[in-house]
Amino acid sequence: MSDQGVKMASVTEQMDVLMRGVVDVVSVEELEAKLTRSVKTGKPLRVKLGIDPTGFDLTLGHTVPLRKLKAFQSLGHQVVLIIGDYTAQIGDPTGRNEARPQLTHEETLAHGRHYVEQAAKVIDVSRLEIRYNSEWLAPMNFADVIRLAGKTTVARMLERDDFSKRYHEGRPISLHEFFYPLMQGQDSVAIRADVELGGTDQTFNLLMGRELQRDEGMEPQVCITNPIVEGLDGVEKMSKSKGNYIAVADRPEEMYGKAMSIPDGLIAKYLIHFTEMPLAEIEALQRAMAEGMNPRDAKMRLGRELVALYHGPAEAQAAEDHFRTVFQKKDVPDDMPEFHPDPALLEDGAAGVIQLLLGAGLVASGSEARRLIIQGGVSVDGERVADERATLALRDGMVFKVGKRKFARLRLP
RNA sequence: GGAGGGGUACCGAAGUGGCUAAACGGGCCUGACUGUAAAUCAGGUGGCUCUGCCUUCGGUGGUUCGAAUCCACCCCCCUCCA
């Protein structure tokens, strides 16, 4: 909490906090040496995290390096957030759709702000040094770029997992993608990073920073990688496009519910990387599960921790109550969206179910509504709707339910 | 520059003139079972004024009663050779 101006923790104490959940550190000795020097001189380390301002909403996956950044910050170090505005403007073709549009500078700035806004839920952004990499990349001329390119080889580049995989699978690699590691490394040179954080998928890029720094006669940065945590399905990396994510902006019930749906094997991992629960406590929980504790209860704990972290303890309790009501008791929640029927559809105070579901926004199309009704997935006031052509007499407060978790309450004017 | 292969729905991938709104697998959705876990089982998965109609197979144009399938041009990707 009150980490301002306080005496710096000892190297061992710092290492203890910093090593939580990391996959790899290149190298531990160098990190200790840097910390030792920092403690001695009172000079904080410069810790870097780079982001691509592509306008994404933060998922818990993104918060893993952010939490590590926060740990450094709390220990009194200077954290530096690099917003890759220049990189983003060039247009990152990574992935299969090369159609990703190039961003205007304005857009990248807006995305950067969007990111910082959400990051504020994890770290103290007022003490963040925010830098845009166009600051040093834009002034480079072609000769500078060629010189930079000369610092590595194609064979070296193809060592990168992502590249070699795509190369062997016959998927395209644009030439300029080779510049990404170089640009990212150049960022480290420019801000004189002592430490850089990233997921294990960033390893190659992080190491490039070391090489470029060494080349400039600087002490190379320490690279700390955190795991890429699996999403809700327990298999694939948590990502927006896979739809297997929890977003930091998720509503409390949503966040809690998603936490409850993860495979048991992921509980401890989520607690370690997504929350700040003390490791000892997590281990105790794991032991308890091994001895027969219902993993569901551990997940409920996870759900509470997460919601408390992003919405506060009161909301955490509320989310849990909501979960109990809706999913354990299969009851109707207190809070749900409300909607007013389109008066044009009313006939003697009645209307067709499909039109009502559409009006409530519970279905995307009439066909979907029809399908769901046939499959028994729609109920009104607890009663399953059997006929897709049914006409319902409207009453204020009627509750429409679609699937297990979509509700809407009808309101008459 | 030369030769060859390829672009199909959310993804992968069949289909080479009508029986194709398009096999199969994954994902996703619904139902059953549950701990909204996993696993499993059943069904579904373009839209609509829904026993029918409309739009869809890289793009444009054409042949045909009829095209994802044939032809022409164009765009994009991959492999090998140079």
Side-chain angles (χ1 to χ4, degrees), chain A residues 135-157:
Chain A
E135 192 188 318
W136 48 87
L137 293 179
M140 290 177 80
N141 63 30
F142 201 67
D144 295 329
V145 174
I146 296 294
R147 214 170 293 126
L148 184 62
K151 297 193 179 189
T152 191
T153 65
V154 171
R156 278 280 287 129
M157 281 294 166

Side-chain angles (χ1 to χ4, degrees), chain A residues 256 260 296-304 320 324:
Chain A
Y256 189 96
M260 290 305 288
R296 179 200 55 196
D297 297 325
K299 278 204 264 188
M300 293 180 94
R301 177 71 197 277
L302 169 66
R304 284 200 303 277
E320 183 160 299
R324 285 213 150 95

Side-chain angles (χ1 to χ4, degrees), chain A residues 317-334:
Chain A
Q317 191 51 52
E320 183 160 299
D321 293 343
H322 177 268
F323 177 82
R324 285 213 150 95
T325 307
V326 176
F327 299 109
Q328 293 188 335
K329 296 189 205 136
K330 296 207 191 323
D331 231 334
V332 173
D334 298 331

Side-chain angles (χ1 to χ4, degrees), chain A residues 34-219:
Chain A
K34 281 177 189 271
L35 288 172
T36 305
R37 192 185 333 130
S38 158
V39 168
K40 205 175 293 170
T41 61
K43 200 175 155 212
L45 297 182
R46 293 175 63 72
V47 185
K48 172 196 172 200
L49 176 68
I51 62 139
D52 266 340
T54 43
F56 52 88
D57 289 317
L58 261 64
T59 69
L60 291 190
H62 297 117
T63 69
V64 179
L66 269 179
R67 291 211 173 277
K68 189 61 65 188
L69 207 60
K70 179 193 188 177
F72 273 101
Q73 189 179 53
S74 302
L75 290 168
H77 297 291
Q78 177 61 55
V79 307
V80 186
L81 184 72
I82 306 286
I83 296 179
D85 64 330
Y86 199 71
T87 341
Q89 276 182 84
I90 288 163
D92 181 359
T94 304
R96 35 204 79 185
N97 293 327
E98 74 294 340
R100 188 172 289 181
Q102 304 195 356
L103 303 170
T104 66
H105 195 236
E106 236 119 86
E107 283 170 322
T108 64
L109 294 186
H111 291 159
R113 278 195 297 276
H114 181 66
Y115 179 92
V116 172
E117 230 166 74
Q118 296 185 74
K121 290 173 187 281
V122 178
I123 56 173
D124 178 359
V125 295
S126 71
R127 290 192 294 134
L128 204 55
E129 178 178 329
I130 299 176
R131 303 288 289 273
Y132 293 84
N133 66 4
S134 58
E135 192 188 318
W136 48 87
L137 293 179
M140 290 177 80
N141 63 30
F142 201 67
D144 295 329
V145 174
I146 296 294
R147 214 170 293 126
L148 184 62
K151 297 193 179 189
T152 191
T153 65
V154 171
R156 278 280 287 129
M157 281 294 166
L158 285 175
E159 284 172 21
R160 197 176 97 163
D161 191 48
D162 174 53
F163 288 151
S164 70
K165 220 155 110 197
R166 282 200 276 160
Y167 187 69
H168 288 295
E169 284 170 7
R171 300 210 319 269
I173 303 170
S174 293
L175 187 56
H176 76 274
E177 290 188 71
F178 280 171
F179 279 91
Y180 273 74
L182 290 168
M183 289 192 274
Q184 191 170 332
Q186 196 57 36
D187 293 347
S188 294
V189 171
I191 67 140
R192 311 189 75 85
D194 288 304
V195 177
E196 178 163 10
L197 308 180
T200 51
D201 57 351
Q202 290 290 310
T203 306
F204 184 89
N205 297 354
L206 302 185
L207 292 174
M208 185 60 72
R210 282 170 68 84
E211 283 184 40
L212 297 186
Q213 284 177 315
R214 220 181 265 128
D215 225 75
E216 295 292 325
M218 296 169 56
E219 183 180 292

Side-chain angles (χ1 to χ4, degrees), chain A residues 20-22 60 64 67 227 229-231 234 259-260 262-290 293-303 305-306:
Chain A
R20 171 177 178 143
V22 306
L60 291 190
V64 179
R67 291 211 173 277
V229 181
E230 296 90 335
M260 290 305 288
I262 65 170
D264 297 347
L266 237 47
I267 300 172
K269 203 167 188 179
Y270 272 37
L271 285 169
I272 293 170
H273 300 289
F274 295 159
T275 76
E276 292 178 354
M277 194 193 273
L279 287 180
E281 224 172 304
I282 296 173
E283 280 158 20
L285 209 54
Q286 281 180 289
R287 269 196 306 278
M289 277 193 277
M293 172 191 184
N294 190 337
R296 179 200 55 196
D297 297 325
K299 278 204 264 188
M300 293 180 94
R301 177 71 197 277
L302 169 66
E305 290 287 333
L306 288 176

